Short mmCIF file of all heavy atoms in Angstrom, two decimals:
data_model
loop_
_atom_site.label_atom_id
_atom_site.label_comp_id
_atom_site.label_asym_id
_atom_site.label_seq_id
_atom_site.Cartn_x
_atom_site.Cartn_y
_atom_site.Cartn_z
N VAL P 404 -12.42 217.41 40.04
CA VAL P 404 -11.29 217.31 39.17
C VAL P 404 -10.00 217.84 39.82
O VAL P 404 -8.95 217.20 39.80
CB VAL P 404 -11.56 217.90 37.86
CG1 VAL P 404 -10.25 217.77 37.00
CG2 VAL P 404 -12.63 217.15 37.07
N LEU P 405 -10.18 219.01 40.35
CA LEU P 405 -8.94 219.71 40.88
C LEU P 405 -8.40 219.02 42.17
O LEU P 405 -7.20 219.02 42.39
CB LEU P 405 -9.22 221.23 41.12
CG LEU P 405 -9.72 221.93 39.91
CD1 LEU P 405 -10.03 223.41 40.26
CD2 LEU P 405 -8.71 221.95 38.79
N GLY P 406 -9.30 218.43 42.95
CA GLY P 406 -8.87 217.62 44.02
C GLY P 406 -8.14 218.46 45.06
O GLY P 406 -7.13 218.08 45.70
N LEU P 407 -8.55 219.71 45.31
CA LEU P 407 -7.88 220.58 46.29
C LEU P 407 -8.54 220.55 47.70
O LEU P 407 -8.19 221.33 48.50
CB LEU P 407 -7.82 222.07 45.71
CG LEU P 407 -7.05 222.27 44.46
CD1 LEU P 407 -7.17 223.62 43.80
CD2 LEU P 407 -5.49 221.96 44.79
N ASN P 408 -9.48 219.71 47.85
CA ASN P 408 -10.16 219.57 49.03
C ASN P 408 -10.83 220.93 49.57
O ASN P 408 -10.51 221.49 50.61
CB ASN P 408 -9.19 219.06 50.20
CG ASN P 408 -9.98 218.27 51.18
OD1 ASN P 408 -11.15 218.28 51.24
ND2 ASN P 408 -9.26 217.63 52.06
N MET P 409 -11.60 221.57 48.61
CA MET P 409 -12.12 222.81 48.91
C MET P 409 -13.18 222.86 50.01
O MET P 409 -13.52 223.93 50.53
CB MET P 409 -12.70 223.41 47.59
CG MET P 409 -11.66 223.73 46.63
SD MET P 409 -12.55 224.61 45.27
CE MET P 409 -11.59 224.11 43.90
N LYS P 410 -13.70 221.67 50.38
CA LYS P 410 -14.64 221.63 51.43
C LYS P 410 -13.92 222.05 52.71
O LYS P 410 -14.53 222.49 53.63
CB LYS P 410 -15.15 220.16 51.59
CG LYS P 410 -16.47 220.02 50.94
CD LYS P 410 -17.08 218.68 51.48
CE LYS P 410 -17.02 217.65 50.32
NZ LYS P 410 -17.00 216.27 50.78
N LYS P 411 -12.69 221.71 52.74
CA LYS P 411 -11.94 221.99 54.05
C LYS P 411 -11.55 223.46 54.18
O LYS P 411 -10.55 223.99 53.69
CB LYS P 411 -10.64 221.15 54.05
CG LYS P 411 -9.88 221.17 55.27
CD LYS P 411 -8.61 220.26 55.17
CE LYS P 411 -7.45 220.92 56.03
NZ LYS P 411 -6.19 220.57 55.52
N THR P 412 -12.50 224.22 54.70
CA THR P 412 -12.20 225.66 54.80
C THR P 412 -11.95 226.00 56.31
O THR P 412 -12.32 225.29 57.14
CB THR P 412 -13.47 226.42 54.51
OG1 THR P 412 -14.61 225.84 55.05
CG2 THR P 412 -13.61 226.51 52.97
N PRO P 413 -11.20 227.14 56.56
CA PRO P 413 -10.91 227.46 57.88
C PRO P 413 -12.22 227.73 58.66
O PRO P 413 -13.21 228.28 58.09
CB PRO P 413 -10.06 228.67 57.76
CG PRO P 413 -10.22 229.17 56.38
CD PRO P 413 -10.67 228.07 55.61
N PRO P 414 -12.26 227.45 59.89
CA PRO P 414 -13.54 227.72 60.67
C PRO P 414 -14.00 229.24 60.72
O PRO P 414 -13.01 230.05 60.83
CB PRO P 414 -13.25 227.17 62.11
CG PRO P 414 -11.69 227.21 62.15
CD PRO P 414 -11.24 227.07 60.84
N ILE P 415 -15.17 229.41 60.53
CA ILE P 415 -15.71 230.78 60.72
C ILE P 415 -15.79 231.04 62.25
O ILE P 415 -16.51 230.17 62.95
CB ILE P 415 -17.01 230.85 60.09
CG1 ILE P 415 -16.88 230.71 58.54
CG2 ILE P 415 -17.61 232.26 60.36
CD1 ILE P 415 -16.24 231.73 57.82
N VAL P 416 -15.24 232.02 62.83
CA VAL P 416 -15.37 232.24 64.19
C VAL P 416 -16.64 232.93 64.52
O VAL P 416 -17.03 233.87 63.87
CB VAL P 416 -14.08 233.18 64.64
CG1 VAL P 416 -13.98 233.30 66.08
CG2 VAL P 416 -12.79 232.59 64.03
N ARG P 417 -17.20 232.40 65.58
CA ARG P 417 -18.35 233.22 66.08
C ARG P 417 -17.89 234.43 66.91
O ARG P 417 -17.27 234.22 67.99
CB ARG P 417 -19.21 232.29 67.12
CG ARG P 417 -20.15 231.47 66.33
CD ARG P 417 -21.23 230.93 67.35
NE ARG P 417 -22.18 230.08 66.69
CZ ARG P 417 -23.14 230.44 65.85
NH1 ARG P 417 -23.31 231.84 65.61
NH2 ARG P 417 -23.90 229.70 65.21
N MET P 418 -18.09 235.57 66.38
CA MET P 418 -17.36 236.72 67.03
C MET P 418 -18.37 237.37 67.94
O MET P 418 -19.56 237.54 67.73
CB MET P 418 -17.09 237.70 65.90
CG MET P 418 -15.84 237.28 65.21
SD MET P 418 -15.47 238.54 63.92
CE MET P 418 -16.88 238.36 62.73
N PRO P 419 -17.74 237.85 69.04
CA PRO P 419 -18.61 238.68 70.03
C PRO P 419 -19.10 239.85 69.19
O PRO P 419 -18.46 240.44 68.23
CB PRO P 419 -17.56 239.18 71.07
CG PRO P 419 -16.32 238.27 70.89
CD PRO P 419 -16.35 237.85 69.48
N LYS P 420 -20.21 240.36 69.67
CA LYS P 420 -20.87 241.46 69.00
C LYS P 420 -20.01 242.75 68.85
O LYS P 420 -19.99 243.37 67.81
CB LYS P 420 -22.14 242.00 69.76
CG LYS P 420 -23.33 241.11 69.59
CD LYS P 420 -24.65 241.89 69.84
CE LYS P 420 -25.86 240.88 69.42
NZ LYS P 420 -26.44 240.46 70.64
N ASN P 421 -19.16 243.11 69.91
CA ASN P 421 -18.29 244.27 69.78
C ASN P 421 -17.30 244.13 68.52
O ASN P 421 -17.04 245.08 67.91
CB ASN P 421 -17.62 244.65 71.09
CG ASN P 421 -16.77 243.53 71.57
OD1 ASN P 421 -17.01 242.27 71.32
ND2 ASN P 421 -15.65 243.77 72.23
N ILE P 422 -16.79 242.88 68.43
CA ILE P 422 -15.86 242.69 67.27
C ILE P 422 -16.61 242.80 65.96
O ILE P 422 -16.05 243.48 65.05
CB ILE P 422 -15.20 241.28 67.46
CG1 ILE P 422 -14.51 241.04 68.80
CG2 ILE P 422 -14.27 241.00 66.23
CD1 ILE P 422 -13.21 241.85 69.06
N THR P 423 -17.69 242.17 65.79
CA THR P 423 -18.51 242.21 64.61
C THR P 423 -18.70 243.76 64.22
O THR P 423 -18.49 244.10 63.06
CB THR P 423 -19.89 241.63 64.76
OG1 THR P 423 -19.63 240.31 65.30
CG2 THR P 423 -20.60 241.39 63.47
N LYS P 424 -19.03 244.49 65.21
CA LYS P 424 -19.27 245.94 65.00
C LYS P 424 -18.05 246.57 64.45
O LYS P 424 -18.01 247.40 63.43
CB LYS P 424 -19.84 246.56 66.23
CG LYS P 424 -20.45 247.88 66.09
CD LYS P 424 -21.32 248.24 67.33
CE LYS P 424 -21.64 249.76 67.39
NZ LYS P 424 -20.41 250.49 68.00
N LEU P 425 -16.86 246.33 65.18
CA LEU P 425 -15.66 247.00 64.72
C LEU P 425 -15.26 246.48 63.39
O LEU P 425 -14.79 247.38 62.57
CB LEU P 425 -14.52 246.56 65.79
CG LEU P 425 -14.58 247.30 67.17
CD1 LEU P 425 -13.49 246.65 68.06
CD2 LEU P 425 -14.41 248.76 66.97
N VAL P 426 -15.38 245.26 63.05
CA VAL P 426 -15.06 244.76 61.69
C VAL P 426 -15.85 245.39 60.62
O VAL P 426 -15.47 245.85 59.57
CB VAL P 426 -15.26 243.22 61.63
CG1 VAL P 426 -15.12 242.69 60.19
CG2 VAL P 426 -14.22 242.50 62.59
N GLN P 427 -17.19 245.63 60.85
CA GLN P 427 -18.17 246.31 59.94
C GLN P 427 -17.71 247.75 59.67
O GLN P 427 -17.65 248.23 58.64
CB GLN P 427 -19.57 246.20 60.36
CG GLN P 427 -20.14 244.77 60.09
CD GLN P 427 -21.43 244.56 60.85
OE1 GLN P 427 -21.89 245.41 61.77
NE2 GLN P 427 -22.16 243.49 60.50
N GLU P 428 -17.31 248.38 60.86
CA GLU P 428 -16.97 249.76 60.75
C GLU P 428 -15.70 249.90 59.87
O GLU P 428 -15.54 250.69 59.03
CB GLU P 428 -16.62 250.41 62.14
CG GLU P 428 -17.90 250.86 62.88
CD GLU P 428 -17.63 251.24 64.30
OE1 GLU P 428 -16.45 251.69 64.63
OE2 GLU P 428 -18.60 251.16 65.12
N ARG P 429 -14.76 249.07 60.26
CA ARG P 429 -13.48 249.04 59.47
C ARG P 429 -13.69 248.81 58.01
O ARG P 429 -13.11 249.46 57.14
CB ARG P 429 -12.56 247.99 60.05
CG ARG P 429 -11.18 247.92 59.34
CD ARG P 429 -10.32 246.77 59.73
NE ARG P 429 -9.28 246.68 58.71
CZ ARG P 429 -9.39 245.98 57.66
NH1 ARG P 429 -10.31 245.27 57.35
NH2 ARG P 429 -8.29 245.99 56.73
N GLU P 430 -14.60 247.84 57.65
CA GLU P 430 -14.88 247.51 56.28
C GLU P 430 -15.48 248.71 55.63
O GLU P 430 -15.07 249.02 54.40
CB GLU P 430 -15.86 246.38 56.23
CG GLU P 430 -16.17 245.83 54.80
CD GLU P 430 -14.93 245.31 54.11
OE1 GLU P 430 -13.79 245.29 54.54
OE2 GLU P 430 -15.03 245.11 52.83
N LEU P 431 -16.23 249.56 56.20
CA LEU P 431 -16.73 250.73 55.65
C LEU P 431 -15.61 251.73 55.39
O LEU P 431 -15.51 252.30 54.23
CB LEU P 431 -17.75 251.42 56.57
CG LEU P 431 -19.18 251.03 56.40
CD1 LEU P 431 -20.11 251.63 57.33
CD2 LEU P 431 -19.68 251.22 54.90
N PHE P 432 -14.74 251.99 56.35
CA PHE P 432 -13.69 252.83 56.16
C PHE P 432 -12.73 252.31 54.94
O PHE P 432 -12.33 253.07 54.06
CB PHE P 432 -12.72 252.94 57.37
CG PHE P 432 -13.27 253.80 58.45
CD1 PHE P 432 -13.36 253.36 59.79
CD2 PHE P 432 -13.73 255.13 58.12
CE1 PHE P 432 -13.85 254.16 60.82
CE2 PHE P 432 -14.13 255.94 59.15
CZ PHE P 432 -14.31 255.46 60.40
N ARG P 433 -12.49 251.05 54.88
CA ARG P 433 -11.68 250.47 53.91
C ARG P 433 -12.20 250.65 52.48
O ARG P 433 -11.56 251.03 51.57
CB ARG P 433 -11.42 248.92 54.12
CG ARG P 433 -10.27 248.31 53.52
CD ARG P 433 -10.20 246.85 53.80
NE ARG P 433 -11.25 246.06 53.24
CZ ARG P 433 -11.25 245.59 51.99
NH1 ARG P 433 -10.15 245.78 51.23
NH2 ARG P 433 -12.29 244.95 51.54
N ARG P 434 -13.57 250.46 52.42
CA ARG P 434 -14.27 250.60 51.04
C ARG P 434 -14.12 252.07 50.63
O ARG P 434 -14.12 252.35 49.44
CB ARG P 434 -15.68 250.17 51.10
CG ARG P 434 -15.69 248.64 51.19
CD ARG P 434 -16.95 248.10 50.73
NE ARG P 434 -17.12 246.72 51.03
CZ ARG P 434 -18.17 245.98 50.95
NH1 ARG P 434 -19.28 246.54 50.69
NH2 ARG P 434 -18.10 244.74 51.19
N ASN P 435 -14.16 252.96 51.73
CA ASN P 435 -14.15 254.41 51.24
C ASN P 435 -12.72 254.93 51.06
O ASN P 435 -12.49 256.08 51.10
CB ASN P 435 -14.80 255.34 52.39
CG ASN P 435 -16.33 255.07 52.37
OD1 ASN P 435 -16.89 254.70 51.34
ND2 ASN P 435 -16.91 255.17 53.46
N LYS P 436 -11.81 253.91 51.14
CA LYS P 436 -10.44 254.24 51.09
C LYS P 436 -9.85 255.13 52.20
O LYS P 436 -8.94 255.85 52.04
CB LYS P 436 -9.98 254.84 49.67
CG LYS P 436 -10.38 253.92 48.56
CD LYS P 436 -9.59 254.37 47.27
CE LYS P 436 -9.96 253.62 46.03
NZ LYS P 436 -10.50 252.30 46.05
N GLN P 437 -10.47 255.14 53.35
CA GLN P 437 -10.04 255.80 54.53
C GLN P 437 -9.15 254.95 55.29
O GLN P 437 -9.42 254.39 56.40
CB GLN P 437 -11.17 256.27 55.40
CG GLN P 437 -11.98 257.35 54.60
CD GLN P 437 -13.41 257.65 55.25
OE1 GLN P 437 -14.35 256.89 55.13
NE2 GLN P 437 -13.43 258.63 56.22
N PHE P 438 -7.90 254.77 54.71
CA PHE P 438 -6.95 253.63 55.24
C PHE P 438 -6.41 254.00 56.63
O PHE P 438 -6.18 253.02 57.45
CB PHE P 438 -5.88 253.41 54.22
CG PHE P 438 -6.47 252.92 52.97
CD1 PHE P 438 -6.20 253.49 51.70
CD2 PHE P 438 -7.30 251.69 52.96
CE1 PHE P 438 -6.73 252.99 50.57
CE2 PHE P 438 -7.79 251.18 51.89
CZ PHE P 438 -7.58 251.86 50.57
N VAL P 439 -6.29 255.34 56.95
CA VAL P 439 -5.69 255.58 58.26
C VAL P 439 -6.74 255.05 59.35
O VAL P 439 -6.30 254.33 60.31
CB VAL P 439 -5.55 257.15 58.50
CG1 VAL P 439 -5.06 257.42 59.83
CG2 VAL P 439 -4.47 257.63 57.40
N GLN P 440 -8.02 255.33 59.14
CA GLN P 440 -9.06 255.02 60.12
C GLN P 440 -9.16 253.38 60.07
O GLN P 440 -9.26 252.79 61.11
CB GLN P 440 -10.42 255.57 59.78
CG GLN P 440 -10.52 257.11 59.86
CD GLN P 440 -10.09 257.84 58.79
OE1 GLN P 440 -9.24 257.32 57.90
NE2 GLN P 440 -10.64 259.10 58.58
#
Side-chain angles (χ1 to χ4, degrees):
V404 174
L405 301 177
L407 294 170
N408 209 352
M409 290 188 214
K410 260 197 253 152
K411 190 182 144 203
T412 46
I415 299 286
V416 187
R417 274 199 184 282
M418 284 182 291
K420 276 202 181 109
N421 61 328
I422 303 285
T423 310
K424 197 163 158 276
L425 288 173
V426 169
Q427 282 167 349
E428 279 172 27
R429 177 188 169 269
E430 183 60 8
L431 271 178
F432 282 131
R433 199 179 68 86
R434 286 200 188 168
N435 292 332
K436 301 199 184 333
Q437 292 169 277
F438 295 121
V439 177
Q440 291 88 331

